[in-house]
Amino acid sequence: MVATTSGSREGWSSRTAFILAAVGSAVGLGNMWRFPAEAGENGGGAFVLFYIFCVLLIGLPVLLSEVLVGRHGQASAPESVRRVAADSGASKGWGIIGSMGVFAAFLILSFYCVVGGWVLYYIGVFAGDLFQTGLTGGAFEGRAASDIEGLLPGLFGNGGLMVGLNLGFLALTFFFVARGISSGIEWVAVYLMPLFFVLFLAITIYGAFTGNFGEAVSYLFTFDFSKLTGEVMLAAVGQAFFSLSLGVAGMMTYGAYASRETNLGKTSGIIASADTGVALLAGLAIFPIVFAAGLSASAGPGLMFASLPVAFQQMPFGSLIGLLFFIMIFFAALTSSVSLMEAPTAYTLEKFKLPRPVATAIVGVGAAVLGVLSALSFNEMADFRPLAFIPIFAEANFFDALDGVTAKLFMPIGAILTCIFVGWIADARLIDDENGLDGALHQIWRALVRFVCPIVLAVILAFGLFG
Ligand code: PHE
């Protein structure tokens, strides 16, 4: 339990639990599905190297800033920011950073659960196939590759199933968030994250031995400078934030459940390394399989769902590996969606003094309504262009518009404001006291948060939007 001035609140039961929950939030569909798709669509190596640059120079300092504000505030994200502001003699208006973040987390939750639904679908597909064709041999014996690639468009075409799966995944997320920190969110992280890592390592090693590893390495790490446009840079920053769960109050909310003894500097380093390691390894696990099957890297969001299953067809133990692969993705996705739901839930229950299950249900109903619109935007509402008036989002359907606006606007803007707040507005003594860094590291972090992050982010944002 973490005691606060406002009485006793629930908190992580240990530092390990905090790390597992935060890594669980960070590692998710962003690493396994969004990262390879974004890398493939944005030119491979140039994107990847710039992404790593963003994680180190921007993501990591912002991550520490966010958990630090949360831990000092010991409340929902908007209230935590307000408390830090009050303790620094600054305006409580800065709480807007937390409010924007909570809203963005809610938007992401709504479409994240749509993709979570696809994961459930593929678990069903591979389980059915394993049952029919048995353990040995590839997956989907005797079926044409086009048939298997057609599974995803087939799913997209079935609005009822899309909505049902989306709501199913949302309901699972609701179940754990409604149970609270220790018996819900922490439980999921402590049991599912270790299982995730075991499966992940096994599948990466399997991919390295059976797939076209060399081609994947050169694809991901060959740096072609000419491909680094403003839009690619904005995509890379957006991906770094999405993957580290930044700019949307998620890490602030989790930081608020951390105890005073936790060294936040060290912990942030662990979270960022684990997340980036998984993203890079995921690329190295997914691209070899895709290349070995002669498929294209730039398949976009369909890469993991449409291309990989075709690749599993030709691989030994294909149905079993496919099933384990999607179960692993499911674990990663659930530990992230609970964090997305917790940010708005913590705010709702605090603001309206509601019991946790009621607050969670309110957030869930809202996410379900938006989620249905996202789920239907692949077919029934495919021509709806909600942001047609913004050039870079002109072609986006409802789902893509939410994804684009959150990763390319809310996250970078939230991060810029967080840096200004932590670097310039908040009392330096309070910040120094919380961050757990000493000596040179402290100086470097301070300089990054005050100067490098906000300036670089503002430039990339302007360049990506208008360049
Ligand atoms: N980081 C998560 C992922 O990679 C997604 C996420 C974003 C979770 C923002 C929480 C907040 O899948």
Side-chain angles (χ1 to χ4, degrees), residues 135-215:
L135 189 59
T136 49
F140 310 112
E141 258 162 31
R143 283 174 67 181
S146 56
D147 236 25
I148 299 157
E149 263 187 296
L151 285 169
L152 190 65
L155 171 62
F156 287 176
N158 187 341
L161 187 57
M162 285 282 277
V163 170
L165 290 165
N166 166 27
L167 297 183
F169 191 88
L170 180 60
L172 283 169
T173 308
F174 166 83
F175 175 78
F176 289 105
V177 176
R179 290 175 64 101
I181 306 305
S182 42
S183 47
I185 298 176
E186 183 172 315
W187 189 94
V188 175
V190 167
Y191 287 99
L192 299 191
M193 281 322 279
L195 279 174
F196 165 83
F197 277 104
V198 171
L199 285 172
F200 182 67
L201 281 184
I203 290 174
T204 310
I205 293 169
Y206 170 92
F209 280 108
T210 49
N212 197 339
F213 200 62
E215 200 182 330

Side-chain angles (χ1 to χ4, degrees), residues 60-84:
L60 186 52
V62 173
L63 172 61
L64 175 54
S65 306
E66 288 199 13
V67 285
L68 178 159
V69 169
R71 205 239 331 248
H72 186 84
Q74 297 284 309
S76 74
E79 181 58 23
S80 285
V81 181
R82 263 180 239 126
R83 288 185 187 172
V84 173

Side-chain angles (χ1 to χ4, degrees), residues 8 40 52 57 79 92 130 139 156 164 259 264 327 372 386 411 439 453:
S8 73
I52 295 173
L57 253 69
E79 181 58 23
K92 287 192 174 183
L130 183 63
F156 287 176
S259 72
L264 296 182
I327 289 179
V372 168
M411 288 179 164
C453 298

Side-chain angles (χ1 to χ4, degrees), residues 25-31 108 112 241-246 248 250 275 336 339-340 411:
S25 168
V27 172
L29 291 167
N31 306 59
I108 298 177
Y112 203 84
F241 284 140
F242 188 92
S243 194
L244 288 170
S245 307
L246 296 180
V248 299
D275 184 64
S336 298
S339 73
L340 285 165
M411 288 179 164

Side-chain angles (χ1 to χ4, degrees), residues 5 139 143 168 221 246 270 291 307:
T5 41
R143 283 174 67 181
F221 297 107
L246 296 180
I270 297 175
F291 289 142
S307 305

